[in-house]
Amino acid sequence: MRIPLSWIREYTRFPASGTAEDLMAELVKVGLEEEDVHRPTDELSGPIVVGEVLEKIPEPQSNGKTINWCQVRVVPEGAAQTLTHEGIDPSGVQGVVCGAHNFEVGDKVVVTLPGAVLPGDFRIAARKTYGHVSAGMIASVRELGIGEDHDGILVLSTLGLDPEPGTDAMELLGLYDSAAEINVTPDRGYAFSLRGIAREYSHATGSPFIDPAAQISTGKINTDDDDAAARPGHEVTLTDHTPIYGVDGCSRFVTHKVTGINPEAPTPPWMASRLRLAGMRSISIAVDVSNYVMLELGQPNHCYDAAKLDAGIEVRRAAPGEKLTTLDEKVRTLNAEDLVITDQSGPIGIAGVMGGARTEVDATTSTVIVEAAHFDPISISRSKRRHKLPSEASKRFERGVDPLLPPLAAQRVVDLLVQLAGGTDTREVTDAGAPVLPQPIRLDPALPERLTGVPYTREQISSTLGAIGAELRQEGEHLLVTPPSWRPDLTIPAALVEEIARLVGYDQIPSRLPVPPAGRGLTTSQQRRRGVYAGMAAAGFTEVLSYPFYSEAANTRFGQAEETGKPMPMLRLANPIASQHPALRTTVLPGLLEALRRNVSRGFTDVALFEAGAVFHPKSQLGSAAIPDLGVYPGEEVLAELDAGIPDQPLHIAAALSGAEAAELPGVPGRRRDWADAVDAAQKVADLLRVQLEVVQGQHQAFHPGRTAEIRFNGERVGHAGELHPKVIEELDLPARTSVMELDLSALINGSPAQISAEPISTFPPTTQDVSLIVAHALPAAELEATLTEGAGELLENIELFDVYSGEHIEAGHKSLAFALRFRAEDRTLTAEEASEARAGAVALAQQRHSAVQR
């Protein structure tokens, strides 16, 4: 919200010498956020004066262009020139070359004299051009930075002005004014107006506040003056058969008729200057007046050409498929939830968002129906987003507008059209519906101190709430507080406490660090998670974070392994931030692989990444039947229903690897990462949690058919590891042989031992022996390894597969698996005979179970 300083001075005692920075410094005290300063004089400086064209001589040029050699008087007739900059003629008459042709002798124009600086650091000086010395420039509105029109120069009579030559044009056009810009939070919609900002300035400084709404006088049906009495106006019907959350889309709709306006009347410079500083361009007198009143009071309004309206106005929900051409000349297909304003011919505007082109005020309009209404914020917000049509009106309506303002705003528009456009107030007024006012709130006087720690007195509480416009009355030990009509955000006691803290001063709230209760630290689950993350980082992996929003295809590809006839269950978002990512993730891999692809595309070819985060699995129940009321304990049954509707959100951890494990060195080739590294990453997580994983041959649609491991824990599948399918690698533009793993970390943490202790380090030496066995080709290596471990007994400390061979000297359909066995006793040094005996036991059990043959 931009606040022109000249404007706010009408409603407060903001000092004449005050700057935009001074204003923002005061508003910050009451919780508003400063944004920027808009000061025309930062880019524009004089001398810039009014000039009268004395002579205009057209001179055709060899390039086909015709210029005008002009003599322009820039001082009052008979007066001497007091300016002395180089190039300024002492006679008060300047010779100026001008390429525009939209002016005549006798016109008053804006002349930038030598020494002036225009926006873009364009410095004016006497220059020789087209055979003349042009000592200045006759300016257009774009050259002055006050508009976009560059088709001709600015003729002041088009603004209704006839100033004396030599008048300071910057003062005449309001260019010495400046504006402060603040950020308005969603709960402070009233601050989108000069009325609201002036009130906040009054709170911050104690300056008297003049309410502009209180200065407006509306006609009454029962007035003694029949000519001045309000009479029944345009027919209006309010209908809403499908209200959102039971709230009617339009609670109040006011129309006010004005006739005989001159649609081509110029907008006065003071109004155009304020609109420009507020961020709006001047369009026409009717549009400018409408925007001016919206900025002044905070009530959006609209002007209809009465001659284009077809019978009465009805406010209703749109019929599916109805179309409307809005003021931006775009045809929009309406939704059944859109609130629309219609006449007998159909929609003439999307309520609270934008009007229709068919009833637009134009250069032929003489009779105007002024509309000011109060709409449901949710309806307006949804229509704005649905049609991607943000507007100044919707910005205010979606935050909440004072329901008492519509008749006052309509009257203010009419008064200005009468004053500036020569219109006549017919006093034909329609006020359909009734204002919906805020409900009283019971406030415990002790609550502000409990929430803030500041011992506010009852007098402070009453005076502060009274200052914001609330009405208070005693109800036993409590205060019954009725918020003002312009504060729809005040609905609960805590909101009133926030107002008290804000206006008394946030600086009054003591800054004390709370003392944590003894004996509380990280939970076991938190400790386990942090240990895993730290361990993965120490193992050379880099942690990344990605958004949890995926496409349905990504969830299906990387989620659970395909099972015939079972579609991938997932949670779809009602309002996704991107249409291509409409679902919550069921796997961590797609986001992790996108991070891998992005790093590789930027030259990092050897990458090892990991990510941990929640995945989302829907339950049979999704959500709850109703939302509990605020401010009361909902009860155990309601909480149980809410919990039942929350999806399962287990924690998953995934890793992705590509490139070489170590950089290549002269004579030392780097080892390329493969599927085994992905399995090792899964085992690393298990080691950190002191749990045992079972690795078996697996299948998954996203993985290479022959290089996929299924990871099991306590007999249940908890993830996969291996090399991605070549088609997936090609489709996702990943490096060849990219390998990944993903585990259900929550399942592993829940199954980890209550206490993880470091294993003791034996002081006795180990004994190592190898064994090579020929088994059936279909036998998984992991199964044979488990058998050897069981047969070797408690002396076996470690077993590792180091060779797989099939071919010459090996029977068809068989393979050779070689394992390294490491034996150690905790209390003595093992003899070779003891180690050999343990090895023999392992081989014997393998022969018994798998018909293994020792090589």
Side-chain angles (χ1 to χ4, degrees):
M1 174 67 188
R2 297 183 182 184
I3 311 144
L5 302 190
S6 64
W7 205 346
I8 199 171
R9 289 189 180 104
E10 293 186 3
Y11 314 129
T12 66
R13 291 183 181 172
F14 182 68
S17 60
T19 65
E21 290 83 356
D22 296 334
L23 177 60
M24 291 192 296
E26 298 296 344
L27 295 177
V28 165
K29 295 178 182 177
V30 288
L32 296 171
E33 300 174 5
E34 60 183 16
E35 282 287 325
D36 202 356
V37 172
H38 301 271
R39 186 180 291 114
T41 53
D42 287 345
E43 293 190 307
L44 189 70
S45 62
I48 302 175
V49 299
V50 173
E52 180 180 1
V53 180
L54 302 180
E55 186 177 43
K56 173 187 175 185
I57 303 174
E59 295 183 357
Q61 303 298 310
S62 59
N63 60 5
K65 181 179 180 180
T66 298
I67 59 95
N68 296 300
W69 172 239
C70 305
Q71 298 297 315
V72 186
R73 181 155 53 84
V74 294
V75 297
E77 187 173 3
Q81 177 63 271
T82 58
L83 300 174
T84 58
H85 195 280
E86 181 181 354
I88 297 179
D89 197 307
S91 68
V93 177
Q94 298 290 121
V96 178
V97 171
C98 183
H101 304 283
N102 66 318
F103 64 99
E104 300 297 336
V105 172
D107 281 342
K108 303 290 181 61
V109 295
V110 176
V111 181
T112 58
L113 296 175
V117 180
L118 301 183
D121 198 29
F122 182 63
R123 299 178 180 274
I124 304 300
R127 295 181 176 89
K128 187 171 183 179
T129 180
Y130 294 108
H132 300 280
V133 175
S134 181
M137 183 175 75
I138 304 176
S140 68
V141 293
R142 192 167 77 179
E143 288 163 340
L144 293 171
I146 60 176
E148 295 301 321
D149 185 11
H150 196 54
D151 292 336
I153 55 96
L154 173 59
V155 179
L156 294 174
S157 61
T158 61
L159 303 181
L161 299 175
D162 186 22
E164 186 177 42
T167 301
D168 187 341
M170 291 183 63
E171 182 175 356
L172 182 71
L173 299 174
L175 296 175
Y176 290 123
D177 200 0
S178 59
E181 183 175 358
I182 61 165
N183 179 43
V184 178
T185 53
D187 61 328
R188 309 277 286 278
Y190 66 93
F192 270 118
S193 68
L194 268 295
R195 181 193 188 207
I197 294 298
R199 183 181 281 110
E200 290 298 302
Y201 180 79
S202 174
H203 294 330
T205 63
S207 167
F209 166 60
I210 301 172
D211 188 350
Q215 314 304 309
I216 303 169
S217 176
T218 58
K220 303 294 182 183
I221 296 294
N222 59 355
T223 182
D224 294 334
D225 184 354
D226 291 337
D227 291 334
R231 293 184 285 274
H234 203 82
E235 180 185 353
V236 174
T237 305
L238 307 182
T239 307
D240 192 351
H241 297 302
T242 56
I244 299 176
Y245 297 134
V247 178
D248 287 339
C250 180
S251 60
R252 193 176 193 186
F253 196 96
V254 174
T255 65
H256 198 140
K257 186 176 182 180
V258 58
T259 62
I261 72 164
N262 175 11
E264 297 185 345
T267 299
W270 59 267
M271 178 178 286
S273 172
R274 289 179 174 180
L275 290 173
R276 182 179 65 254
L277 280 173
M280 292 183 169
R281 62 189 180 93
S282 177
I283 298 174
S284 68
I285 186 62
V287 175
D288 290 351
V289 165
S290 174
N291 287 335
Y292 187 85
V293 172
M294 177 182 67
L295 293 170
E296 181 180 54
L297 300 178
Q299 170 67 56
N301 57 88
H302 189 70
C303 293
Y304 300 97
D305 187 331
K308 298 176 183 177
L309 285 174
D310 188 356
I313 289 175
E314 181 182 8
V315 184
R316 59 170 172 81
R317 298 289 172 181
E322 272 190 306
K323 295 185 182 298
L324 169 68
T325 302
T326 45
L327 289 171
D328 56 2
E329 298 299 331
K330 293 183 179 179
V331 178
R332 303 183 185 275
T333 301
L334 302 176
N335 183 281
E337 201 178 65
D338 288 329
L339 191 69
V340 292
I341 302 169
T342 69
D343 63 7
Q344 192 168 340
S345 299
I348 57 175
I350 303 175
V353 179
M354 185 173 284
R358 180 164 62 84
T359 55
E360 181 182 8
V361 173
D362 56 28
T364 65
T365 301
S366 61
T367 301
V368 168
I369 299 293
V370 179
E371 166 239 305
H374 189 269
F375 300 117
D376 171 42
I378 294 177
S379 288
I380 305 309
S381 180
R382 290 187 178 182
S383 290
K384 181 197 81 170
R385 285 165 173 76
R386 184 179 300 113
H387 296 286
K388 296 180 175 60
L389 192 57
S391 65
E392 291 293 329
S394 64
K395 184 192 301 181
R396 288 161 173 80
F397 277 126
E398 68 181 351
R399 287 167 168 82
V401 175
D402 187 346
L404 298 181
L405 276 178
L408 298 173
Q411 183 67 58
R412 176 65 167 153
V413 172
V414 169
D415 290 344
L416 288 173
L417 289 176
V418 170
Q419 175 187 346
L420 303 176
T424 300
D425 184 357
T426 66
R427 314 301 296 171
E428 294 179 23
V429 178
T430 299
D431 192 346
V436 179
L437 300 175
Q439 296 300 305
I441 304 170
R442 292 181 78 250
L443 176 66
D444 180 355
L447 181 63
E449 181 175 359
R450 288 205 304 270
L451 293 183
T452 66
V454 179
Y456 299 109
T457 65
R458 185 177 289 264
E459 174 59 29
Q460 277 183 304
I461 294 171
S462 299
S463 61
T464 302
L465 295 177
I468 68 171
E471 296 180 0
L472 291 81
R473 63 184 178 87
Q474 197 74 28
E475 189 181 71
E477 292 298 318
H478 292 75
L479 290 174
L480 199 64
V481 183
T482 302
S485 57
W486 57 86
R487 293 301 301 272
D489 58 302
L490 302 180
T491 57
I492 58 176
L496 298 177
V497 173
E498 182 182 5
E499 288 300 293
I500 295 168
R502 181 175 71 89
L503 296 184
V504 173
Y506 290 129
D507 57 340
Q508 300 299 310
I509 299 176
S511 177
R512 292 194 300 267
L513 288 175
V515 179
R520 294 188 181 183
L522 296 177
T523 65
T524 300
S525 177
Q526 289 172 330
Q527 292 174 352
R528 299 285 193 273
R529 291 204 307 265
R530 292 194 180 189
V532 169
Y533 301 164
M536 291 294 285
F541 290 84
T542 300
E543 185 177 11
V544 298
L545 294 174
S546 62
Y547 287 112
F549 312 117
Y550 293 167
S551 67
E552 295 182 8
N555 272 339
T556 301
R557 174 190 290 145
F558 290 102
Q560 66 186 17
E562 288 180 347
E563 297 178 18
T564 305
K566 292 185 178 181
M568 180 72 194
M570 64 187 78
L571 285 167
R572 291 163 180 83
L573 301 169
N575 186 25
I577 60 175
S579 59
Q580 65 269 33
H581 298 142
L584 286 171
R585 67 186 178 192
T586 60
T587 166
V588 180
L589 282 175
L592 179 63
L593 290 174
E594 172 59 23
L596 177 70
R597 185 201 63 77
R598 190 180 306 113
N599 277 275
V600 171
S601 70
R602 285 158 175 74
F604 299 97
T605 56
D606 304 324
V607 184
L609 305 178
F610 85 95
E611 178 176 5
V615 299
F616 304 86
H617 298 305
K619 300 178 182 176
S620 57
Q621 176 183 335
L622 183 60
S624 57
I627 299 175
D629 294 331
L630 297 175
V632 294
Y633 182 70
E636 294 298 329
E637 291 185 2
V638 176
L639 290 176
E641 183 187 6
L642 291 173
D643 186 64
I646 299 174
D648 289 328
Q649 301 173 52
L651 192 68
H652 277 208
I653 186 168
L657 310 99
S658 71
E661 183 179 26
E664 294 186 8
L665 297 173
V668 182
R671 190 187 73 81
R672 309 297 295 179
R673 293 188 175 100
D674 57 20
W675 63 268
D677 293 283
V679 175
D680 286 345
Q683 190 60 55
K684 176 65 178 178
V685 174
D687 292 343
L688 291 167
L689 294 172
R690 298 296 190 272
V691 297
Q692 292 293 324
L693 297 180
E694 181 183 0
V695 181
V696 299
Q697 182 74 34
Q699 292 184 347
H700 193 287
Q701 63 272 11
F703 286 74
H704 192 293
R707 299 167 187 165
T708 305
E710 182 178 298
I711 311 296
R712 296 176 182 173
F713 176 60
N714 291 336
E716 298 290 331
R717 183 177 65 199
V718 293
H720 289 85
E723 182 180 316
L724 288 178
H725 197 289
K727 290 184 178 179
V728 173
I729 290 175
E730 181 181 3
E731 184 177 339
L732 298 182
D733 194 23
L734 297 171
R737 309 295 295 272
T738 296
S739 299
V740 301
M741 75 84 182
E742 182 170 14
L743 296 174
D744 184 341
L745 186 58
S746 291
L748 299 183
I749 290 175
N750 293 336
S752 63
Q755 177 129 17
I756 297 178
S757 303
E759 295 181 358
I761 300 175
S762 175
T763 59
F764 297 98
T767 299
T768 303
Q769 295 193 15
D770 296 340
V771 63
S772 180
L773 300 173
I774 299 174
V775 295
H777 196 279
L779 180 68
E783 188 173 340
L784 179 59
E785 180 180 308
T787 299
L788 292 172
T789 301
E790 180 182 348
E794 62 182 12
L795 293 180
L796 180 66
E797 182 180 70
N798 184 63
I799 180 171
E800 184 175 345
L801 176 69
F802 68 86
D803 184 58
V804 178
Y805 174 73
S806 60
E808 188 178 0
H809 304 306
I810 301 295
E811 182 182 353
H814 289 69
K815 60 184 176 182
S816 171
L817 300 178
F819 293 88
L821 310 179
R822 186 172 72 222
F823 301 96
R824 193 194 311 257
E826 295 182 358
D827 57 350
R828 67 188 187 280
T829 300
L830 287 179
T831 64
E833 290 76 13
E834 288 177 307
S836 296
E837 183 179 349
R839 175 183 177 280
V843 172
L845 188 59
Q847 290 172 339
Q848 175 186 341
R849 288 186 179 176
H850 309 298
S851 301
V853 177
Q854 186 172 355
R855 290 182 66 185

